[in-house]
Amino acid sequence: MVPLQQQVLRTDAAGMPLEWIDYQQAVRLYHGGQVSYTCGTLLYRVRGGISSFTGRQSVVEVNSIIATHGTNRAIHRGYVPPLNNSTLFRRDAHMCLYCGNHFPERELSRDHVTPLSQQGEDSWTNVVTACKRCNNHKAGHTPEQAGMQLLAIPFRPTHAEYIYLKGRRVLADQMEFLQAHFPRRSPLRERLRQA
């Protein structure tokens, strides 16, 4: 068994990754009869009360991946995951895309490739992770104007990639499941393969 902080990957009945949940949410889904099937390894064996009728204790076994009834029609081709710094920094592997050095999250910032002052957008395809020093040096300029080289092209993650980026301590079976939903030419897939 694993620590209770380990997240469970919830999918819809078609196997599309939806979200990370904790063991308590998973037990509620099992108890409510909302689980279609399970995959992956057994994470938890949660014991409940003893039935006065049968004299047996209830037990719920929670796997690392659980599929719930129904499908999520909200996830479509035009889906844009919410942009926030922690997932942006994970997308870019906590690396400044100007100097190429890795930093802890507190030393990173969101840089707009085309600055907002030059009509740039606050979107996945216009933001990169930058160390505070490089971001200050670039200031309100484009990389070309500042004489700086951008090391990678920013991209918008798909829903499955975003779910991966939101995960903490993603288990091997969960990673394999998520990667099956990444686009073939995903920059994230390529980076994970090289790691």
Side-chain angles (χ1 to χ4, degrees), residues 158 160-161 179-187 189:
T158 63
E161 291 171 322
Q179 276 190 320
H181 293 277
F182 288 7
R184 248 191 319 249
R185 300 191 194 284
S186 164
R189 177 192 293 273

Side-chain angles (χ1 to χ4, degrees), residues 3-95:
L4 290 178
Q5 295 81 12
Q6 179 60 51
Q7 296 174 303
V8 175
L9 178 61
R10 182 173 85 88
T11 75
D12 65 13
M16 177 57 71
L18 297 176
E19 64 181 342
W20 295 104
I21 59 174
D22 62 24
Y23 81 95
Q24 293 162 319
Q25 293 168 299
V27 169
R28 280 194 286 277
L29 290 170
Y30 277 98
H31 181 70
Q34 297 174 21
V35 176
S36 276
Y37 59 91
T38 63
C39 309
T41 58
L42 175 66
L43 293 181
Y44 307 112
R45 189 170 283 121
V46 181
R47 300 187 187 288
I50 297 175
S51 168
S52 60
F53 183 72
T54 65
R56 292 189 310 199
Q57 186 176 31
S58 63
V59 176
V60 176
E61 294 184 338
V62 179
N63 285 53
S64 59
I65 304 165
I66 62 172
T68 53
H69 296 295
T71 57
N72 190 340
R73 292 187 188 356
I75 302 169
H76 49 79
R77 278 207 182 285
Y79 171 80
V80 178
L83 174 61
N84 60 62
N85 284 351
S86 61
T87 50
L88 171 67
F89 299 160
R90 282 203 67 196
R91 180 197 73 179
D92 296 342
H94 289 86
M95 181 176 76

Side-chain angles (χ1 to χ4, degrees), residues 82-150:
L83 174 61
N84 60 62
N85 284 351
S86 61
T87 50
L88 171 67
F89 299 160
R90 282 203 67 196
R91 180 197 73 179
D92 296 342
H94 289 86
M95 181 176 76
C96 173
L97 291 189
Y98 294 108
C99 69
N101 294 318
H102 293 269
F103 294 91
E105 194 163 309
R106 69 181 177 281
E107 295 178 31
L108 295 172
S109 61
R110 181 189 307 191
D111 177 66
H112 295 85
V113 179
T114 302
L116 296 173
S117 61
Q118 295 186 35
Q119 281 64 53
E121 296 179 353
D122 190 35
S123 67
W124 283 102
T125 55
N126 188 50
V127 295
V128 295
T129 300
C131 69
K132 292 180 180 175
R133 182 180 164 275
C134 286
N135 202 347
N136 287 336
H137 177 73
K138 182 176 166 284
H141 301 96
T142 64
E144 297 80 19
Q145 292 166 341
M148 298 172 77
Q149 180 77 31
L150 189 59

